[in-house]
Amino acid sequence: MTTIWPITTISNISTTTTTTTTTTNNYADAARIASLHAKYISITIFGIISNVVLVLLIFLSRTLRTTPFFWNILNLCVFDSVIVMFVIPFGLDYELDWSWSYGEWTCKMWYAADFWHMLMAGTTISCICIDRIVATFETFISIKANVLRFVSIFLVTCPWLFLVTVCIPLLVVFENNESKLPSSTCFFQFHAMHMKTMAIVSLALPNSLMIVACTTMLFVYILKGGNWNRIPSNRASAEEVGLKLSVIAVWVVVTASLICWLPVTGLVFFTIFFDSKCKGFTWSDYMDVYLLQIMTSSLTPFLWIILPEVRHELAIWRYFISGFLRLRKNIPSSLAPSYQNETQDSETEIQDNTI
């Protein structure tokens, strides 16, 4: 398919035209090609729909778009959208005849977007876990508004800072410019000495970050012990349910991501350390684990339905659209669009990180 890691780490896979021909021959079975393309197209379609709907729900709700927690979710939608709107479509076109016709710069952008997806998504999910840790601390520890604002801004910008300061420089430094490939191919060559480093940074690091952050999030929430002293009594129940469901939602997202990412991570490290035992691996084997990896780009947005705020916004717009189609004039106040019901100013909402 596209820039799956094993291609760059398995020494017995050549990057010459001969390898391209061999790979094409492995896909001689038309049924196999049709099945594979159907899977990727399905991931693309569902991924575009799920990410676009979630982004619109957040942006059209004044409550959601002024809550740092949902800005972190927006970051995740951006990284997932790059996969389903850019990486997969270009990859399917490239796979038809294994000929790249979009130029060298686009090739590098395409490769980098695919290569760093797991790392950027994993970093963002880890930031979401930290956000929930801070939200849990807020329920029983007084935290200054300026500190909350700084933490929220840092968590939202952290993945982008990491991309600019670490990911892009690593690609530039570790690229093997001496390797010459046919102009019709799109393949990013790394120096052999840097393979382990790149595997650790792009695969082991995001999985490790998510495991540590999610475990800490659950540990802090359990230790909280139901202490809600700082929340007014008339809001305690709703706040506790909201925080609990957000922690559950993040835990489900982390679990789903690890299930989808650990197979490709394990396969890559196996090929690095036991290259001689990988002779029997076929291109189809790599495509299966790659398919599982990118599946999170379509799956993750659906998982946020666990959040009551997302369900409420969906109910609002479902009712609004159905009412519009039926020329319904009256909308119950309980389902009025959030921007009509909100009376708190944005300053207060940005500081309130417990929702």
Side-chain angles (χ1 to χ4, degrees), residues 275-290:
D275 180 67
S276 60
K277 298 181 180 180
C278 300
K279 306 296 183 181
F281 288 172
T282 65
W283 182 259
S284 297
D285 296 329
Y286 298 126
M287 296 313 301
D288 289 337
V289 294
Y290 179 75

Side-chain angles (χ1 to χ4, degrees), residues 94-115:
Y94 181 44
E95 191 182 279
L96 291 176
D97 56 4
W98 296 101
S99 178
W100 185 267
S101 57
Y102 301 103
E104 182 180 357
W105 185 85
T106 305
C107 169
K108 290 187 176 182
M109 292 293 294
W110 174 66
Y111 197 103
D114 191 13
F115 191 81

Side-chain angles (χ1 to χ4, degrees), residues 119-120 123 157-168 201 205:
L119 177 58
M120 300 312 301
T123 303
T157 57
C158 180
W160 300 100
L161 293 174
F162 192 76
L163 175 65
V164 173
T165 59
V166 178
C167 296
I168 295 178
V201 172
L205 180 60

Side-chain angles (χ1 to χ4, degrees), residues 151-332:
V151 171
S152 298
I153 293 175
F154 174 77
L155 291 177
V156 172
T157 57
C158 180
W160 300 100
L161 293 174
F162 192 76
L163 175 65
V164 173
T165 59
V166 178
C167 296
I168 295 178
L170 279 180
L171 283 179
V172 174
V173 174
F174 289 174
E175 181 182 8
N176 185 2
N177 294 315
E178 298 178 357
S179 178
K180 300 297 181 182
L181 297 174
S183 58
S184 61
T185 62
C186 179
F187 193 74
F188 205 93
Q189 287 284 81
F190 295 106
H191 290 283
M193 68 182 71
H194 300 313
M195 287 299 182
K196 292 181 181 180
T197 302
M198 296 300 288
I200 292 173
V201 172
S202 62
L203 297 176
L205 180 60
N207 287 286
S208 300
L209 283 175
M210 287 196 304
I211 292 174
V212 172
C214 185
T215 302
T216 304
M217 177 191 68
L218 293 174
F219 182 72
V220 171
Y221 184 82
I222 293 172
L223 284 185
K224 173 186 66 66
N227 190 339
W228 295 83
N229 295 334
R230 293 189 61 247
I231 298 178
S233 58
N234 62 334
R235 296 180 59 196
S237 178
E239 294 285 359
E240 184 170 6
V241 170
L243 179 57
K244 180 179 180 180
L245 289 178
S246 68
V247 170
I248 292 175
V250 176
W251 179 82
V252 171
V253 169
V254 171
T255 302
S257 299
L258 289 175
I259 291 174
C260 294
W261 293 351
L262 286 178
V264 70
T265 302
L267 178 61
V268 169
F269 278 94
F270 183 84
T271 57
I272 291 177
F273 292 100
F274 304 99
D275 180 67
S276 60
K277 298 181 180 180
C278 300
K279 306 296 183 181
F281 288 172
T282 65
W283 182 259
S284 297
D285 296 329
Y286 298 126
M287 296 313 301
D288 289 337
V289 294
Y290 179 75
L291 175 69
L292 188 62
Q293 174 193 337
I294 64 173
M295 191 179 297
T296 56
S297 300
S298 297
L299 176 64
T300 301
F302 284 112
L303 297 179
W304 295 117
I305 195 69
I306 298 174
L307 298 173
E309 298 90 347
V310 174
R311 293 201 303 272
H312 179 68
E313 293 298 324
L314 283 173
I316 289 172
W317 290 105
R318 183 174 66 247
Y319 192 92
F320 177 79
I321 293 173
S322 63
F324 178 79
L325 295 176
R326 299 174 185 176
L327 300 179
R328 183 179 295 157
K329 296 181 180 181
N330 297 323
I331 298 178

